[in-house]
PDB file of all heavy atoms in Angstrom:
ATOM      1  N   ARG J1566     -15.836  11.198   9.990  1.00 97.00           N
ATOM      2  CA  ARG J1566     -16.695  11.016  11.083  1.00 97.00           C
ATOM      3  C   ARG J1566     -18.148  11.609  10.947  1.00 97.00           C
ATOM      4  O   ARG J1566     -18.192  12.491  10.024  1.00 97.00           O
ATOM      5  CB  ARG J1566     -15.983  11.620  12.375  1.00 97.00           C
ATOM      6  CG  ARG J1566     -14.561  11.075  12.500  1.00 97.00           C
ATOM      7  CD  ARG J1566     -13.852  11.791  13.641  1.00 97.00           C
ATOM      8  NE  ARG J1566     -14.357  11.428  14.920  1.00 97.00           N
ATOM      9  CZ  ARG J1566     -14.076  11.978  16.121  1.00 97.00           C
ATOM     10  NH1 ARG J1566     -13.533  13.167  16.092  1.00 97.00           N
ATOM     11  NH2 ARG J1566     -14.481  11.533  17.237  1.00 97.00           N
ATOM     12  N   PRO J1567     -19.085  11.420  11.918  1.00 94.00           N
ATOM     13  CA  PRO J1567     -20.381  11.979  11.807  1.00 94.00           C
ATOM     14  C   PRO J1567     -20.114  13.563  12.220  1.00 94.00           C
ATOM     15  O   PRO J1567     -19.222  13.892  12.880  1.00 94.00           O
ATOM     16  CB  PRO J1567     -21.197  11.250  12.895  1.00 94.00           C
ATOM     17  CG  PRO J1567     -20.178  10.623  13.743  1.00 94.00           C
ATOM     18  CD  PRO J1567     -18.991  10.347  12.854  1.00 94.00           C
ATOM     19  N   ASN J1568     -20.966  14.309  11.711  1.00 92.00           N
ATOM     20  CA  ASN J1568     -20.822  15.831  11.838  1.00 92.00           C
ATOM     21  C   ASN J1568     -19.556  16.494  11.237  1.00 92.00           C
ATOM     22  O   ASN J1568     -19.092  17.462  11.604  1.00 92.00           O
ATOM     23  CB  ASN J1568     -20.952  16.229  13.371  1.00 92.00           C
ATOM     24  CG  ASN J1568     -22.202  15.771  13.966  1.00 92.00           C
ATOM     25  OD1 ASN J1568     -23.323  15.875  13.338  1.00 92.00           O
ATOM     26  ND2 ASN J1568     -22.178  15.221  15.121  1.00 92.00           N
ATOM     27  N   GLY J1574     -21.661  11.432   4.698  1.00 92.00           N
ATOM     28  CA  GLY J1574     -22.878  11.355   5.583  1.00 92.00           C
ATOM     29  C   GLY J1574     -23.427  12.622   6.019  1.00 92.00           C
ATOM     30  O   GLY J1574     -24.498  12.795   6.725  1.00 92.00           O
ATOM     31  N   ILE J1585     -22.764   4.004   4.138  1.00 97.00           N
ATOM     32  CA  ILE J1585     -22.085   4.537   5.157  1.00 97.00           C
ATOM     33  C   ILE J1585     -22.790   4.568   6.494  1.00 97.00           C
ATOM     34  O   ILE J1585     -22.063   4.765   7.539  1.00 97.00           O
ATOM     35  CB  ILE J1585     -21.467   5.971   4.802  1.00 97.00           C
ATOM     36  CG1 ILE J1585     -20.162   6.303   5.546  1.00 97.00           C
ATOM     37  CG2 ILE J1585     -22.502   6.996   4.990  1.00 97.00           C
ATOM     38  CD1 ILE J1585     -19.426   7.619   5.058  1.00 97.00           C
ATOM     39  N   PHE J1586     -24.075   4.505   6.552  1.00 97.00           N
ATOM     40  CA  PHE J1586     -24.958   4.612   7.725  1.00 97.00           C
ATOM     41  C   PHE J1586     -25.189   3.071   8.238  1.00 97.00           C
ATOM     42  O   PHE J1586     -25.950   2.960   9.157  1.00 97.00           O
ATOM     43  CB  PHE J1586     -26.105   5.256   7.422  1.00 97.00           C
ATOM     44  CG  PHE J1586     -26.009   6.664   7.337  1.00 97.00           C
ATOM     45  CD1 PHE J1586     -25.784   7.415   6.104  1.00 97.00           C
ATOM     46  CD2 PHE J1586     -25.991   7.536   8.498  1.00 97.00           C
ATOM     47  CE1 PHE J1586     -25.696   8.730   5.960  1.00 97.00           C
ATOM     48  CE2 PHE J1586     -25.793   8.917   8.455  1.00 97.00           C
ATOM     49  CZ  PHE J1586     -25.605   9.529   7.024  1.00 97.00           C
ATOM     50  N   GLY J1587     -24.588   2.084   7.549  1.00 96.00           N
ATOM     51  CA  GLY J1587     -24.771   0.810   8.005  1.00 96.00           C
ATOM     52  C   GLY J1587     -23.789   0.499   9.158  1.00 96.00           C
ATOM     53  O   GLY J1587     -23.059   1.325   9.615  1.00 96.00           O
ATOM     54  N   ALA J1608     -17.342   2.448   9.706  1.00 98.00           N
ATOM     55  CA  ALA J1608     -16.859   2.441  10.961  1.00 98.00           C
ATOM     56  C   ALA J1608     -18.052   2.565  12.003  1.00 98.00           C
ATOM     57  O   ALA J1608     -19.162   3.051  11.576  1.00 98.00           O
ATOM     58  CB  ALA J1608     -15.896   3.463  11.294  1.00 98.00           C
ATOM     59  N   ASP J1609     -17.970   2.425  13.228  1.00 97.00           N
ATOM     60  CA  ASP J1609     -18.830   2.712  14.253  1.00 97.00           C
ATOM     61  C   ASP J1609     -20.218   1.778  14.225  1.00 97.00           C
ATOM     62  O   ASP J1609     -20.327   0.873  13.326  1.00 97.00           O
ATOM     63  CB  ASP J1609     -19.235   4.171  14.349  1.00 97.00           C
ATOM     64  CG  ASP J1609     -19.207   4.801  15.651  1.00 97.00           C
ATOM     65  OD1 ASP J1609     -19.903   4.122  16.601  1.00 97.00           O
ATOM     66  OD2 ASP J1609     -18.589   5.715  16.002  1.00 97.00           O
ATOM     67  N   LYS J1610     -21.224   2.200  15.031  1.00 97.00           N
ATOM     68  CA  LYS J1610     -22.362   1.460  15.087  1.00 97.00           C
ATOM     69  C   LYS J1610     -23.396   1.765  13.881  1.00 97.00           C
ATOM     70  O   LYS J1610     -23.291   2.831  13.116  1.00 97.00           O
ATOM     71  CB  LYS J1610     -23.108   1.808  16.405  1.00 97.00           C
ATOM     72  CG  LYS J1610     -22.306   1.496  17.603  1.00 97.00           C
ATOM     73  CD  LYS J1610     -21.916   0.076  17.762  1.00 97.00           C
ATOM     74  CE  LYS J1610     -21.266  -0.294  19.117  1.00 97.00           C
ATOM     75  NZ  LYS J1610     -19.858   0.333  19.168  1.00 97.00           N
ATOM     76  N   ASP J1611     -24.260   0.992  13.737  1.00 96.00           N
ATOM     77  CA  ASP J1611     -25.437   1.165  12.834  1.00 96.00           C
ATOM     78  C   ASP J1611     -26.054   2.442  12.843  1.00 96.00           C
ATOM     79  O   ASP J1611     -26.451   2.976  13.967  1.00 96.00           O
ATOM     80  CB  ASP J1611     -26.508   0.103  12.888  1.00 96.00           C
ATOM     81  CG  ASP J1611     -27.338   0.003  11.712  1.00 96.00           C
ATOM     82  OD1 ASP J1611     -27.190   0.588  10.632  1.00 96.00           O
ATOM     83  OD2 ASP J1611     -28.375  -0.776  11.833  1.00 96.00           O
ATOM     84  N   GLY J1612     -26.109   3.288  11.791  1.00 96.00           N
ATOM     85  CA  GLY J1612     -26.892   4.601  11.812  1.00 96.00           C
ATOM     86  C   GLY J1612     -25.907   5.781  12.096  1.00 96.00           C
ATOM     87  O   GLY J1612     -26.399   7.027  11.952  1.00 96.00           O
ATOM     88  N   VAL J1613     -24.691   5.612  12.475  1.00 96.00           N
ATOM     89  CA  VAL J1613     -23.882   6.704  12.779  1.00 96.00           C
ATOM     90  C   VAL J1613     -23.346   7.406  11.618  1.00 96.00           C
ATOM     91  O   VAL J1613     -23.380   8.692  11.660  1.00 96.00           O
ATOM     92  CB  VAL J1613     -22.626   6.176  13.623  1.00 96.00           C
ATOM     93  CG1 VAL J1613     -21.506   7.281  13.772  1.00 96.00           C
ATOM     94  CG2 VAL J1613     -22.912   5.598  14.921  1.00 96.00           C
ATOM     95  N   GLY J1614     -23.034   6.833  10.548  1.00 96.00           N
ATOM     96  CA  GLY J1614     -22.567   7.463   9.349  1.00 96.00           C
ATOM     97  C   GLY J1614     -21.102   7.880   9.392  1.00 96.00           C
ATOM     98  O   GLY J1614     -20.758   8.952   9.208  1.00 96.00           O
ATOM     99  N   ALA J1615     -20.078   6.923   9.426  1.00 98.00           N
ATOM    100  CA  ALA J1615     -18.783   7.305   9.499  1.00 98.00           C
ATOM    101  C   ALA J1615     -17.957   6.150   8.768  1.00 98.00           C
ATOM    102  O   ALA J1615     -18.424   5.039   8.572  1.00 98.00           O
ATOM    103  CB  ALA J1615     -18.353   7.272  10.849  1.00 98.00           C
TER     104      ALA J1615
END
Side-chain angles (χ1 to χ4, degrees):
R1566 308 173 77 194
N1568 302 317
I1585 204 173
F1586 288 93
D1609 225 311
K1610 303 294 188 290
D1611 189 15
V1613 170

